[in-house]
Amino acid sequence: MRVWWSLGLLRSELVTVFRRWRTLALFGVLAGVPLLVGIAVRIETRNGGTVGGGPRGDNGPAFLEQVSNNGLFLTFASLAATLPFFLPMAIGVVAGDSVAGEAGGGTLRYLLVAPAGRTRLLVVKYASVLAFCVVATLVVALSGLIVGFALFPVGEVTTLSGTTIPLSAGMLRALLIALLVAGSLVGIAALGLFVSTVTDSGIAAMATTVGLLITVQIVDTIPQLHVVQPYLFPHYWLSFADILRDPVQWTGIAKNLGLQALYAAVFGSAAWARFTTRDVTA
Amino acid sequence: MAQPQAAAPGESATTVGAPRTAAEARAAVTEAAEQGGVAGDTGDVVIETRRLAKQYRGTLAVDGLDLRVPRGSVFGFLGPNGSGKTTTIRMLMGLIQPTSGSARVLGRPMPNAARSVLPRVGALIEGPALYGFLSGRHNLLRFDAADPTADPRTRKARVGAALERVGLAAAADKKARAYSLGMKQRLGLAAALLQPRELLVLDEPTNGLDPQGMREIRALVRELAADGTTVFLSSHLLDEIEQVCTHAAVMARGRLIAQGTVAELSAGSRGRLGVTTPDVAEAARLLAARGLTGLVTEEQKVIGELPAEPPDLAELNAELVGAGVRVRGFGLERTSLEDTFVALTGEGFDVAG
Amino acid sequence: MALIQPARPEPEQPDEPGGRGRKLARYGVPVAVAGVAAATIGLVPALADAGDPSLPSVTAEQLLTKIAASQTRTVDGTVKVTTDLGLPDLSGGSALLGGLGTPGSGGSGDSPAAPQSQLTQLLTGSHQLHVAADGPDRQKISIIEPAAEYSLIRNGTQLWAYDSGSDQAYHATLPAPSQQHEGLGGAADGVPTTPQAAAEQVLKAADGTSRITVDGTARVAGRSAYELVVTPEHATDTTVGAIRIAVDSATGVPLKFTLTPKGGGKAVFDIGFTRVDFGTPAAGTFTFTPPKGVKVTEGSTPSRAASPAPQGAAPTVLGKGWDTIAVIDTSALNKGAGKGADGGFAGFGAQGKDKPARGSGDSGSGDVSALLNGFGSKVSGSFGTGTAVHTRLVNALLTDKGTLYVGAVTQSALVQAADAAK
Ligand SMILES: Nc1ncnc2c1ncn2[C@@H]1O[C@H](COP(=O)(O)OP(=O)(O)OP(=O)(O)O)[C@@H](O)[C@H]1O
Ligand SMILES: [Mg+2]
């Protein structure tokens, strides 16, 4: 019974997150990316040309070349295009605002005297941010799927290794990839949550989280800093593509998920330490 | 019963009005309280703090607070701006950690027992705070969902009843962003009334309300008190406190300077005698000789405070007349809580740093 | 009034802000988690590597025999290749090497799926390969790139390649398979893609020109291995310092190959298994059907007998052993360009002892001088003037008259060679 009553807060939190115009606007932007990519590829390949321009074709985002042959690849291309930035930025906004926004608005004190319980409230907040990660990823994936099926031929899927798998298996892998992409966002969600417990300003928390994301992404590309790069949360993000190899390579995926779990543990517990001991004066 | 150091050095020195009188007033209140208006048995005490203190970075917001709120009382919490009322309430509600001292609410220590205490407490702290993008009803549904002891099956009904009670039923489905200040205040009150409570803590509940709203709130408070709910309310409106409260406490600069029943507090500043006469000088001399203090002479009037053991007023009057003072008016002036308040906290307008 | 009673007595310390000590204790949790993670990351590989395996001691002779007698013909594993020639870390680096390694700029060389351009990228930076082999005729090499892959599959006479980055395929028919023993995975276009291929080239060349010793044991890809060290002897000009080969104690298969330059510092070339399995790979591994909608480029069929070098530009070889210098007349080369050995795996085995100049001396292109000018420095000697390109292993000198001197030797050795040739 108590568990069920605790779920009431989670449900209320989910309603509060997903009802907001801001959330819907973010979903709109995310859904727009596959549409734009799809239309761009369609226009460019109309005359039988290739994407990317150069003969090597390795300058554009991943999977772009395959899109015109198989619409399913628009899902993969869209996820690859949004994962470095759009998706984590959306997560940063939602996670950064989660606690700080309530503190800034003053509603935090009413939740706490209700009493929501600090640990319980934090767990519910993190759970709702994770739910947002999954939904945001699915929005990109589904939009990619719909646009891809509408604009391009769809059929058997060519793996990165050049082998062919049936469309049904390809769809299954697409679902797996979407879940992996959502799982890749677990780390920045925890980071955002921690930042959110530090300040009373939702805007400041969002800006800080997104700023950290940008900084880390830049550090991840500087060759001189390769020593720290394996420990940066976006470092193995692209490993989701290993699902499309034949045989599937699990090493990178495992590293990615392990790193995300580590970030979740470190920043999740830091958020807990901060939130359960802080004075709520706003 | 522990009392704040009423005559702490500096305290009386900075009192702007009549320092001696203020100190005496305090002493009187202390006495009255000790003689036992306030229940001594802890079972009957809803809020009890012991040397409670809170220091924000630099400022000492609350200092050595010993507060006792008896069960069933309507307790007024008075004090000038920045005197530490909200800070005290925040500590009582477990929102901030006291720097030192301890607080017990409903017999359990706070903030450690927050999970068992707070469901029995309704609170309105420093004004209402709402989700602007949710309707009034959904705001309440959310706050109720946050309480793990609230039964979800009765949630809708209880939210409806709370809205009804604060007169917001008609505007319940409007977005809270579109509420007026008074409507927000009412919704905040509704959140405090979502469940039957043992204690209501209301920080300036009538702030922003229209006169009708204020009356409604007063009626509501009386009604709740009649049901046995203890109400702890802070306010600047002394009238209001005088009208609804059975007990009161006064804070100034983080310290508790008086607490007791409202009657005791009002009596605390003893009666003031006013003599209307054209012979003010003679009258003043005589009154001073009979022990009156704080004499103020106006053009046609002398006002003074009666001493602790006042002389018989009839004799005093006869004495004045006998001395040739043309007494045109003679009588005790009614003392209000406001006088007490001003006497205790000083006349100065500046907020204590 | 009905009061809600708490459902159960509460523990009195759970949830709300605590004193200083409790605050510190709580912050201890993330610190501890991070600490444990750091310790795990630091210690687990250290523990895994801990203690070189103790194996019965062998002589270098015995170990060489073991390598030669190795019967292992099947492998399925992951290989990491790291090359650090000290070139600027730009795509230009691979362009230079690609230019040197790619026969001509016409024909099938244009396809992004053609093996030459893909494999020469291994000559810079760090790459992960997936290697599978079932005998000399069935081999597959995949270059694992982020979100992309390049696969090269040989099945008998059929050579297929698929580049996912460009979604294009390449096909060539090879001459009938030779009986010659080739390494697992083999070397394609002069670029060894397994430690064994690299080791074979060196050991052929090392015979009589090097000191070969056994130096302890090591653990590679979870297997116990002997460490064989090859040090050049009777060679004054070579830039090769030492070569270390880890040989699997059970199968005699080289598992890791590391070349350090004479000048010291990081290895110039390091190739080793990170995961290896000597079982037979699934048969499906070596079949390739071009997917629908994928553009297939047909490659020319090289003749097995042909030297990898284009006709008309066969390099002259100066010196011997490690000091070998290849001399190429680029003016002749330009005319002969475009007829390269597309033949992928045919590459290295045939090259024999000329190998220290590997990958660089076997062909050229019309762009050579342009590329050299981009990276080189002007040198002069009694031969006249020319452009020298310096790497940590291979040096090249292109005289203004169009003669190219290349070798794993010092730059002054090249200048001397040019002077002597005049
Ligand atoms: N978050 C804070 N950080 C630092 N100082 C604070 C904070 N909140 C309050 N204070 C200080 O603590 C003192 C008491 O403030 P408090 O809000 O308790 O006063 P109050 O009695 O509620 O006043 P008011 O009648 O204006 O509501 C003031 O001096 C104030 O400046
Ligand atoms: Mg206040």
Side-chain angles (χ1 to χ4, degrees):
Chain A
M1 191 53 98
R2 275 188 70 89
V3 172
W4 172 244
W5 289 8
S6 277
L7 286 180
L9 180 57
L10 179 60
R11 225 186 61 191
S12 157
E13 181 66 34
L14 291 176
V15 169
T16 322
V17 168
F18 288 102
R19 269 240 187 116
R20 297 192 73 161
W21 275 111
R22 189 188 63 198
T23 309
L24 299 180
L26 286 173
F27 287 160
V29 171
L30 289 172
V33 172
L35 190 65
L36 285 178
V37 172
I39 291 172
V41 171
R42 187 67 208 263
I43 289 171
E44 209 166 315
T45 56
R46 203 172 31 193
N47 308 321
T50 61
V51 199
R56 289 290 299 271
D58 55 2
N59 298 320
F63 306 116
L64 216 52
E65 289 288 342
Q66 288 100 317
V67 170
S68 55
N69 272 344
N70 191 336
L72 185 59
F73 272 86
L74 186 59
T75 301
F76 307 139
S78 306
L79 287 172
T82 49
L83 183 53
F85 234 78
F86 283 100
L87 270 174
M89 209 151 74
I91 306 307
V93 166
V94 172
D97 194 45
S98 59
V99 176
E102 301 251 15
T107 45
L108 182 59
R109 65 175 180 268
Y110 287 109
L111 290 178
L112 290 183
V113 300
R118 297 194 181 203
T119 306
R120 176 168 168 257
L121 183 60
L122 197 69
V123 168
V124 163
K125 287 281 179 194
Y126 192 47
S128 76
V129 175
L130 292 186
F132 179 84
C133 292
V134 173
V135 175
T137 312
L138 288 180
V139 163
V140 176
L142 281 179
S143 164
L145 203 66
I146 293 166
V147 175
F149 276 50
L151 293 184
F152 304 101
V154 175
E156 289 186 323
V157 177
T158 307
T159 64
L160 292 180
S161 313
T163 58
T164 309
I165 56 173
L167 181 61
S168 57
M171 299 277 278
L172 210 65
R173 292 199 191 194
L175 180 66
L176 196 56
I177 281 178
L179 293 179
L180 278 176
V181 169
S184 302
L185 301 168
V186 165
I188 186 163
L191 185 65
L193 189 72
F194 170 64
V195 172
S196 191
T197 60
V198 172
T199 163
D200 279 346
S201 157
I203 300 283
M206 292 184 222
T208 309
T209 310
V210 173
L212 279 173
L213 168 72
I214 296 170
T215 313
V216 168
Q217 287 280 48
I218 290 171
V219 169
D220 200 30
T221 60
I222 299 175
Q224 282 78 8
L225 297 174
H226 65 91
V227 189
V228 297
Q229 285 171 356
Y231 309 106
L232 301 178
F233 62 85
H235 191 68
Y236 299 108
W237 273 356
L238 227 47
S239 69
F240 76 80
D242 293 352
I243 292 284
L244 289 176
R245 300 187 199 278
D246 193 15
V248 175
Q249 304 263 303
W250 295 103
T251 337
I253 294 169
K255 274 185 186 164
N256 182 29
L257 294 181
L259 192 63
Q260 300 306 324
L262 178 62
Y263 269 77
V266 171
F267 286 101
S269 58
W272 171 79
R274 163 76 187 162
F275 188 56
T276 56
T277 56
R278 72 179 282 209
D279 282 354
V280 175
T281 53
Chain B
M1 167 176 161
Q3 270 299 307
Q5 302 107 320
E11 187 87 336
S12 50
T14 48
T15 304
V16 184
R20 233 174 61 88
T21 326
E24 271 176 24
R26 242 171 270 137
V29 169
T30 304
E31 246 167 63
E34 263 166 8
Q35 277 151 18
V38 181
D41 177 22
T42 43
D44 288 317
V45 179
V46 172
I47 296 173
E48 185 177 30
T49 69
R50 225 173 266 286
R51 312 224 64 75
L52 193 65
K54 178 68 188 179
Q55 181 155 26
Y56 290 115
R57 245 144 247 193
T59 49
L60 196 58
V62 172
D63 187 10
L65 187 73
D66 290 295
L67 193 68
R68 286 166 71 88
V69 177
R71 186 176 290 273
S73 63
V74 178
F75 197 100
F77 198 36
L78 295 166
N81 290 136
S83 55
K85 302 185 296 294
T86 303
T87 305
T88 305
I89 290 174
R90 283 198 193 118
M91 283 190 280
L92 293 175
M93 296 293 99
L95 291 174
I96 60 178
Q97 179 73 19
T99 310
S100 66
S102 66
R104 294 179 81 83
V105 176
L106 298 177
R108 316 275 321 260
M110 285 298 283
N112 289 340
R115 274 209 276 166
S116 62
V117 169
L118 292 179
R120 300 187 277 153
V121 179
L124 181 67
I125 305 160
E126 260 207 325
L130 306 167
Y131 301 91
F133 52 91
L134 293 180
S135 70
R137 188 186 303 282
H138 277 103
N139 266 285
L140 293 188
L141 288 172
R142 175 154 170 78
F143 289 130
D144 195 62
D147 181 353
T149 66
D151 188 343
R153 288 163 300 191
T154 60
R155 181 163 295 153
K156 274 217 170 85
R158 284 183 292 110
V159 165
L163 286 165
E164 201 75 54
R165 202 160 191 187
V166 297
L168 266 185
D173 296 310
K174 236 167 129 172
K175 290 262 183 284
R177 194 189 294 116
Y179 277 17
S180 70
L181 175 59
M183 289 163 86
K184 286 180 185 163
Q185 190 79 13
R186 284 165 191 249
L187 196 63
L189 265 171
L193 297 173
L194 281 169
Q195 294 212 56
R197 311 284 193 185
E198 276 178 66
L199 171 66
L200 271 181
V201 175
L202 306 174
D203 195 6
E204 297 174 34
T206 53
N207 194 11
L209 290 182
D210 51 26
Q212 251 152 320
M214 288 193 195
R215 283 174 58 124
E216 279 168 38
I217 297 299
R218 280 199 291 270
L220 190 63
V221 166
R222 287 200 191 98
E223 189 185 315
L224 289 163
D227 284 348
T229 307
T230 310
V231 182
F232 181 86
L233 74 128
S234 87
S235 180
H236 300 117
L237 300 173
L238 297 155
D239 253 9
E240 186 174 283
I241 299 262
E242 223 168 3
Q243 284 180 46
V244 299
C245 292
T246 59
H247 294 71
V250 182
M251 287 198 77
R253 267 162 270 116
R255 288 161 171 273
L256 188 67
I257 52 175
Q259 68 176 325
T261 64
V262 169
E264 286 160 1
L265 283 172
S266 303
S269 78
R270 275 142 287 166
R272 287 198 295 179
L273 182 67
V275 179
T276 316
T277 171
D279 312 313
V280 283
E282 179 63 10
R285 193 189 56 77
L286 232 156
L287 289 176
R290 297 306 300 263
L292 271 80
T293 53
L295 287 170
V296 180
T297 49
E298 291 165 18
E299 211 169 306
Q300 292 270 316
K301 194 170 183 180
V302 183
I303 302 167
E305 288 195 35
L306 289 165
E309 282 158 37
D312 184 80
L313 293 184
E315 275 175 29
L316 187 60
N317 190 12
E319 206 173 318
L320 284 170
V321 174
V325 176
R326 289 164 288 173
V327 178
R328 289 188 184 147
F330 183 94
L332 276 175
E333 312 230 309
R334 197 183 84 88
T335 64
S336 67
L337 197 56
E338 184 166 344
D339 297 315
T340 314
F341 184 76
V342 172
L344 288 168
T345 61
E347 299 263 10
F349 180 73
D350 288 346
V351 174
Chain C
M1 176 169 111
L3 296 173
I4 301 284
Q5 292 302 322
R8 62 203 160 86
E10 297 281 329
E12 294 210 345
Q13 286 271 322
D15 212 30
E16 303 306 321
R20 243 217 160 77
R22 232 163 97 211
K23 203 165 180 165
L24 274 180
R26 294 203 168 183
Y27 277 106
V29 176
V31 172
V33 171
V36 167
T40 315
I41 290 166
L43 283 181
V44 167
L47 288 177
D49 284 353
D52 291 335
S54 60
L55 296 168
S57 59
V58 291
T59 63
E61 288 294 304
Q62 285 169 322
L63 199 52
L64 288 172
T65 315
K66 194 177 180 76
I67 295 170
S70 174
Q71 289 303 309
T72 309
R73 295 288 177 271
T74 57
V75 71
D76 189 342
T78 311
V79 171
K80 193 178 176 207
V81 193
T82 307
T83 314
D84 181 10
L85 285 170
L87 285 169
D89 193 16
L90 300 165
S91 55
S94 70
L96 169 65
L97 292 156
L100 288 168
T102 306
S105 48
S108 60
D110 264 352
S111 168
Q116 296 77 24
S117 54
Q118 288 285 347
L119 289 170
T120 45
Q121 67 171 299
L122 298 182
L123 292 176
T124 49
S126 200
H127 298 269
Q128 204 197 357
L129 309 179
H130 185 201
V131 178
D134 182 7
D137 298 335
R138 282 142 64 83
Q139 296 164 332
K140 174 171 179 174
I141 297 163
S142 307
I143 305 176
I144 311 287
E145 293 162 80
E149 191 169 326
Y150 176 76
S151 309
L152 190 58
I153 300 155
R154 176 185 172 182
N155 194 348
T157 57
Q158 298 303 301
L159 181 75
W160 282 99
Y162 174 72
D163 175 39
S164 82
S166 58
D167 199 24
Q168 291 196 27
Y170 171 91
H171 175 247
T173 307
L174 301 174
S178 71
Q179 299 310 303
Q180 183 186 354
H181 166 71
E182 274 187 63
L184 297 174
D189 273 298
V191 185
T193 55
T194 62
Q196 190 179 32
E200 266 173 19
Q201 292 163 14
V202 165
L203 292 177
K204 275 178 202 157
D207 195 17
T209 63
S210 318
R211 194 156 52 85
I212 301 179
T213 54
V214 177
D215 181 24
T217 60
R219 192 163 278 281
V220 178
R223 302 180 65 95
S224 322
Y226 291 104
E227 293 247 83
L228 192 68
V229 179
V230 178
T231 324
E233 260 185 343
H234 321 298
T236 47
D237 297 333
T238 184
T239 50
V240 176
I243 291 160
R244 187 170 277 268
I245 301 166
V247 182
D248 184 33
S249 62
T251 60
V253 174
L255 298 176
K256 192 166 162 64
F257 174 101
T258 310
L259 190 156
T260 41
K262 216 174 211 163
K266 257 172 54 184
V268 168
F269 184 69
D270 183 271
I271 179 168
F273 282 105
T274 53
R275 180 189 66 79
V276 67
D277 177 2
F278 292 114
T280 311
T285 311
F286 306 107
T287 54
F288 181 83
T289 326
K292 260 213 317 272
V294 168
K295 182 184 162 201
V296 180
T297 307
E298 278 297 325
S300 54
T301 304
S303 63
R304 181 73 199 175
S307 149
Q311 286 150 3
T316 342
V317 175
L318 302 175
K320 64 175 175 24
W322 297 97
D323 289 342
T324 305
I325 296 169
V327 185
I328 303 156
D329 184 359
T330 56
S331 50
L333 187 80
N334 286 344
K335 288 168 216 135
K339 283 191 171 182
D342 288 336
F345 294 92
F348 239 135
Q351 246 177 290
K353 292 194 178 186
D354 294 345
K355 83 126 280 292
R358 69 154 168 276
S360 322
D362 59 354
S363 57
S365 101
D367 300 330
V368 163
S369 50
L371 284 160
L372 287 185
N373 283 333
F375 285 99
S377 52
K378 287 277 165 212
V379 288
S380 56
S382 53
F383 69 89
T385 58
T387 310
V389 172
H390 172 74
T391 73
R392 293 179 64 217
L393 183 68
V394 177
N395 283 307
L397 169 65
L398 180 67
T399 64
D400 291 348
K401 295 178 192 102
T403 314
L404 180 67
Y405 297 83
V406 185
V409 294
T410 58
Q411 189 173 308
S412 55
L414 293 180
V415 174
Q416 276 169 22
D419 287 348
K422 188 178 63 91

